[in-house]
Amino acid sequence: MQDDAASRDGDDAAPQHRVGAQHDGAQRDAATARDAATAREAAVARDAAEEASAFSHPTVDPDVTVSYGAHPDQVIDFYAPRDPDPAVLTPLVVVLHGGAWRAPYDRRHITPFADFLTRHGFAVANVEYRRGEATPAPGGPAIPAQAGPTTPGPESTATSATAGSGDGEGTGGTDTGAPVAGRWPDTFDDVAAALDALPALVRRALPQADPGRMVITGHSAGGHLALWAAARHLLPADAPWHIDRPAPLRGVVALAPIADFQVAEELGVCGGASRQLLGGEATFSERLPYADPVRLLPTGIATTLVQGRTDIVVPQAVAESYADAAAKAGEVVGLTLLEDVGHFPLIDPAADACAVVVEEIAQLAW
């Protein structure tokens, strides 16, 4: 009888043990979820504070503005170096601003960064380009741009639960309430035209600058455009932006760049902006060879990526994917990862990260 009782006790204990284990597991899962939510809230708060600091500086007017086309957005602002050595031509830094290629976010927000560069001895060309929605233009190149809709449209997927940041670079999902990202092919037309015109324009507008020592930098969506501009010689031959030889650049310093469109889309970067830039789901894949930097390697041009480890706008994984692809293509791309730095300190003159950016540019320019 004692053996039977012990057996019954064991049989009763087994289900109780399973129930207890399940309860403990549920508690651990709930604790993990709470920790993740707390960490997410802290990350969002930190990002907002970093953004507020970056955009707290007044805009800085250029020394001269020159047009490279007829559209009002086809302009370049030139900034002369502060206290230059008159006997030495100054390296030229070409700046391409971010803002998820969306119309409301123009070059003015990056002018404090441009001024910061001039105070470190550089001449600066701050390039504007067309963004947002476009009306279809007659004619045009016979590339996939004309195979689908000329005007990008918003994605039909669900809106992100996380609100976008003030510059349109939201922290995840597809934000159907945001302005459409980019103009295809106008955004690319403009960056190519500006870079082609720049050597002659700078000689007239800023004769103390040396276009032979030119470094291109860009932040976020502008980082994508900087990498793309340095890879135009690798574009398909039918691309209107293709050039026969590498651009005359000393190097590229891409700041938290949207450097791999497919990874960016998987992570919901900037509310699906890269998909919008290429015209939406119907044309995304066929336009990737014409637009995605990760597919345009090796460039043969010295390239450094600067990335904050705590960036929740364009996460570290995007830059790492580009650097990995470059390595597989036989090219060494520098990847500078900054601890406790998010998206916006890279262009914030008040942040230590901005000084690191200047050092990376100087290593290529001088």
Side-chain angles (χ1 to χ4, degrees):
M1 294 294 293
Q2 290 178 346
D3 292 342
D4 290 345
S7 176
R8 286 195 300 273
D9 290 344
D11 291 344
D12 292 342
Q16 291 173 2
H17 175 74
R18 286 195 296 271
V19 170
Q22 291 171 354
H23 178 69
D24 291 344
Q27 286 186 321
R28 285 194 298 270
D29 291 345
T32 300
R34 286 195 299 271
D35 290 345
T38 300
R40 177 65 180 174
E41 289 173 2
V44 171
R46 182 179 59 246
D47 177 73
E50 290 175 339
E51 180 181 4
S53 176
F55 291 97
S56 67
H57 309 286
T59 58
V60 180
D61 292 334
D63 293 297
V64 62
T65 299
V66 178
S67 297
Y68 64 88
H71 192 277
D73 284 337
Q74 293 174 324
V75 294
I76 302 172
D77 289 340
F78 287 103
Y79 294 79
R82 306 299 180 244
D83 301 320
D85 181 345
V88 179
L89 290 178
T90 305
L92 176 69
V93 180
V94 181
V95 175
L96 293 165
H97 69 83
W101 309 285
R102 290 187 169 122
Y105 315 110
D106 63 19
R107 70 194 185 280
R108 288 175 294 181
H109 77 264
I110 209 167
T111 61
F113 173 71
D115 180 66
F116 187 71
L117 289 171
T118 67
R119 288 186 273 121
H120 285 80
F122 297 105
V124 175
N126 187 16
V127 177
E128 190 57 278
Y129 51 90
R130 284 174 287 179
R131 310 162 311 285
E133 296 181 89
T135 53
I143 60 172
Q146 309 307 321
T150 343
T151 304
E155 298 296 320
S156 59
T157 53
T159 301
S160 168
T162 305
S165 64
D167 76 335
E169 297 177 339
T171 54
T174 299
D175 185 0
T176 55
V180 174
R183 297 185 181 191
W184 180 278
D186 301 355
T187 299
F188 298 92
D189 287 346
D190 288 358
V191 172
L195 268 292
D196 290 345
L198 194 54
L201 293 178
V202 74
R203 288 189 184 98
R204 295 200 302 268
L206 213 61
Q208 63 268 56
D210 183 2
R213 285 189 293 169
M214 185 162 58
V215 174
I216 187 168
T217 188
H219 179 239
S220 196
H224 155 263
L225 293 172
L227 294 170
W228 178 86
R232 289 169 57 201
H233 58 293
L234 300 177
L235 286 168
D238 63 341
W241 318 294
H242 175 86
I243 53 180
D244 294 332
R245 58 182 61 87
L249 298 170
R250 293 291 290 268
V252 182
V253 179
L255 314 177
I258 306 178
D260 183 327
F261 279 7
Q262 290 187 310
V263 172
E265 287 301 303
E266 290 168 5
L267 296 175
V269 167
C270 299
S274 55
R275 191 172 298 272
Q276 291 180 12
L277 174 67
L278 301 193
E281 183 66 34
T283 52
F284 180 71
S285 294
E286 66 177 314
R287 293 176 181 174
L288 282 175
Y290 296 86
D292 193 357
V294 79
R295 294 168 177 259
L296 302 171
L297 289 164
T299 66
I301 294 173
T303 300
T304 298
L305 313 182
V306 183
Q307 176 73 44
R309 285 190 180 274
T310 57
D311 191 333
I312 61 171
V313 179
V314 183
Q316 176 179 330
V318 181
E320 289 178 330
S321 180
Y322 180 87
D324 290 345
K328 290 175 182 176
E331 186 162 73
V332 177
V333 167
L335 177 57
T336 300
L337 298 174
L338 304 180
E339 298 291 340
D340 299 320
V341 170
H343 193 63
F344 297 98
L346 303 178
I347 59 167
D348 181 0
D352 292 341
C354 200
V356 174
V357 169
V358 171
E359 290 175 5
E360 296 289 357
I361 292 172
Q363 287 184 24
L364 297 177
W366 290 101

